[in-house]
Amino acid sequence: MSATADHAEERTNPAAKLGFEPGQVVQEIGYDDDVEQELREGIEAIIGQDLVDEEYDDVADVVLLWFRDEDGDLTDALVDAIGLIDEGGQIWLMTPKTGRDGYIEPSDINEAVQTAGLTQTRSINAGKDWTGSRLATPKAVKSGKR
């Protein structure tokens, strides 16, 4: 694919900038009718298959975690997500933007990420109502996988 085609895909597919790859297994946690459908569809287009749900019983390459303030304890959710990914896998934490229902203070997110033993490697605008943070396990960070 040419550089021009890559840039065109990034403009038309919001998931293109998130680093998903064909064939990856992406497990989605916290799905509800408020999530960014266009982003979900873009991820599925890139990986070439449907996202797997919370009932998936094998390890995933990536966990897509939609999390709102009222969803419980973020640290617990992150620790649970770590157990769902393959070694070197990553977690995309999606949280509502400032002023949206379910907004979580950045300091609370940072504390939960650190307590869970993860490292935030990137933040993105994940759509009209959501912000995304790519989280990596320490082993993934040390090995250079991002």
Side-chain angles (χ1 to χ4, degrees):
M1 191 181 292
S2 72
T4 306
D6 285 341
H7 292 303
E9 182 179 359
E10 283 186 23
R11 282 193 303 275
T12 57
N13 181 348
K17 60 187 172 197
L18 303 185
F20 290 99
E21 298 174 11
Q24 283 185 317
V25 175
V26 179
Q27 186 168 11
E28 182 178 42
I29 308 294
Y31 173 84
D32 205 340
D33 58 8
D34 63 345
V35 303
E36 294 287 342
Q37 292 298 333
E38 190 178 340
L39 180 67
R40 295 178 73 252
E41 292 165 8
I43 293 168
E44 290 177 339
I46 291 169
I47 64 174
Q49 58 193 348
D50 291 342
L51 301 175
V52 297
D53 65 16
E54 298 176 19
E55 304 302 316
Y56 185 69
D57 63 356
D58 201 353
V59 292
D61 298 303
V62 181
V63 167
L64 178 63
L65 175 60
W66 302 96
F67 199 88
R68 304 143 198 91
D69 186 47
E70 64 272 6
D71 287 345
D73 186 274
L74 179 55
T75 303
D76 289 346
L78 292 172
V79 169
D80 290 346
I82 292 168
L84 302 174
I85 54 175
D86 204 1
E87 185 175 314
Q90 60 189 4
I91 299 166
W92 271 103
L93 172 63
M94 302 294 171
T95 56
K97 288 182 177 178
T98 305
R100 308 303 199 279
D101 287 344
Y103 171 74
I104 304 169
E105 289 291 336
S107 59
D108 294 339
I109 294 171
N110 286 339
E111 183 179 329
V113 166
Q114 290 178 3
T115 302
L118 296 165
T119 303
Q120 184 173 331
T121 61
R122 187 168 170 211
S123 293
I124 56 111
N125 173 2
K128 181 174 66 99
D129 296 320
W130 294 84
T131 297
S133 299
R134 182 169 57 183
L135 310 175
T137 59
K139 190 161 194 111
V141 172
K142 286 180 188 162
S143 69
K145 287 188 177 184
R146 294 182 185 260

